[in-house]
Amino acid sequence: MKRYAGVVACIFVYFIAIAGGMIPAKESRADAMDDIQSRRAIRVAVPKDTPPFGAENQYKSLEGFDISIAKMISLELGVKLDMVPLASAERIPSLLNHHVDLVISSLGKNPERLKQIDFSQAYAPFYLGVFGAPNLDVKNAAGLAGKTIAVLKDSIEDVELTKIAPPAAVIKRFSTSKDAEKSYLQGESKLLAAGNVLISAFTKEQAESTQLKIVLKDSPCFIGVNKNETALLNKINTMLSSIKKNGMLNVNAQRWFKAPLPDSVLHSGLE
């Protein structure tokens, strides 16, 4: 028994050393890229009810801008795509808990989120702007003078529009976005201050007769990746740069947003 007592004591001391940080414990998991390749599948958090980024179609299948990007990434990596539809509040916790490998779900970047996760280059447009007919001469805030502009009352676009509009601009504030949209489409207001997502819901004819005039607030979307996952993040950024250069990302934007990509997205990562 004495012979084994020393062995037991050594094992006990070893585990105490690991617990105290004296001996580094072996990493329990590989990096995200190794995990993805090992399981031959990538798990991506996607939107479930946020058109045109992602929502169910009439066949109960998910479709949208973000869904297309997730499919492109799985093809690039040569692995199966496991889409995980999540509500906005669930996206980052699911990534931090390693329930998903990526978040492709209209995710914006801010200082607080940057403390938790890493972000790819910008890949999707999300902005507030002033929209109007292509032949309407509005190139800057001064051009709003004398123009009627429909906007949702007390919205962020209302706040941003009020900051830049000259005194001669006629801002018509509505209690619902539908009413503001109706005023513009029926010609009662020459311009509409709204988000690009609202414009994407226009019919083809309405979208073709509507053009972005002024950007009020630009908040593009990024792909979320866990901290220190350099191999995966580099792979994602390389793919995004490629589809920006070959035009595929712009085609995707035209399909889902009915507008080309803004410079804030198109040139992100390509400087």
Side-chain angles (χ1 to χ4, degrees):
M1 292 297 294
K2 289 183 179 180
R3 182 174 57 183
Y4 297 109
V7 176
V8 172
C10 287
I11 293 173
F12 180 74
V13 170
Y14 177 77
F15 280 110
I16 289 295
I18 291 178
M22 294 167 59
I23 300 175
K26 185 179 180 181
E27 180 62 46
S28 60
R29 60 180 297 277
D31 68 16
M33 184 64 84
D34 286 341
D35 288 344
I36 291 164
Q37 296 297 342
S38 295
R39 78 171 88 95
R40 304 298 298 163
I42 185 167
R43 303 164 305 180
V44 181
V46 296
K48 57 182 179 180
D49 53 8
T50 312
F53 292 97
E56 282 191 351
N57 58 23
Q58 58 182 327
Y59 305 108
K60 303 298 181 182
S61 297
L62 286 171
E63 65 175 14
F65 186 90
D66 285 350
I67 307 304
S68 298
I69 298 300
K71 290 177 179 178
M72 289 182 196
I73 288 174
S74 70
L75 288 173
E76 177 71 18
L77 297 178
V79 296
K80 177 177 175 286
L81 173 61
D82 288 336
M83 290 190 291
V84 184
L86 295 175
S88 294
E90 301 172 315
R91 297 172 300 179
I92 291 179
S94 293
L95 182 64
L96 294 174
N97 292 330
H98 300 288
H99 295 154
V100 296
D101 304 301
L102 297 174
V103 174
I104 307 178
S105 183
S106 60
L107 186 66
K109 180 168 63 172
N110 60 43
E112 192 60 36
R113 287 175 175 172
L114 275 168
K115 295 176 185 176
Q116 298 178 289
I117 64 174
D118 285 334
F119 291 86
S120 71
Q121 57 183 256
Y123 80 98
F126 195 93
Y127 56 86
L128 306 175
V130 176
F131 298 84
N135 61 357
L136 194 62
D137 186 22
V138 177
K139 297 183 176 64
N140 50 42
L144 298 175
K147 308 289 194 309
T148 52
I149 312 154
V151 66
L152 175 63
K153 184 179 180 181
D154 297 328
S155 62
I156 298 176
E157 47 266 45
D158 186 6
V159 173
E160 296 298 325
L161 175 63
T162 303
K163 289 179 183 177
I164 68 164
V170 181
I171 302 176
K172 300 175 71 173
R173 296 177 172 87
F174 295 86
S175 57
T176 71
S177 57
K178 281 294 181 186
D179 287 338
E181 178 185 332
K182 182 180 178 181
S183 177
Y184 166 71
L185 292 174
Q186 292 184 345
E188 296 169 0
S189 298
K190 292 299 183 183
L191 296 162
L192 173 65
N196 67 305
V197 172
L198 186 148
I199 304 301
S200 72
F202 280 12
T203 65
K204 181 181 178 183
E205 292 75 19
Q206 291 168 343
E208 288 176 347
S209 61
T210 298
Q211 184 183 74
L212 175 66
K213 299 297 182 179
I214 303 171
V215 174
L216 295 173
K217 187 177 180 64
D218 192 16
S219 304
C221 303
F222 304 80
I223 295 174
V225 185
N226 268 314
K227 289 286 187 184
N228 304 315
E229 297 294 357
T230 306
L232 179 57
L233 183 59
N234 287 346
K235 189 71 174 179
I236 298 304
N237 280 331
T238 298
M239 192 214 77
L240 290 176
S241 293
S242 176
I243 61 177
K244 286 176 185 181
K245 289 177 180 177
N246 65 26
M248 286 180 62
L249 194 62
N250 229 332
V251 169
N252 203 35
Q254 292 280 6
R255 177 186 178 188
W256 295 107
F257 295 105
K258 299 185 176 74
L261 290 169
D263 288 346
S264 59
V265 174
L266 197 55
H267 296 155
S268 171
L270 300 182
E271 293 82 359

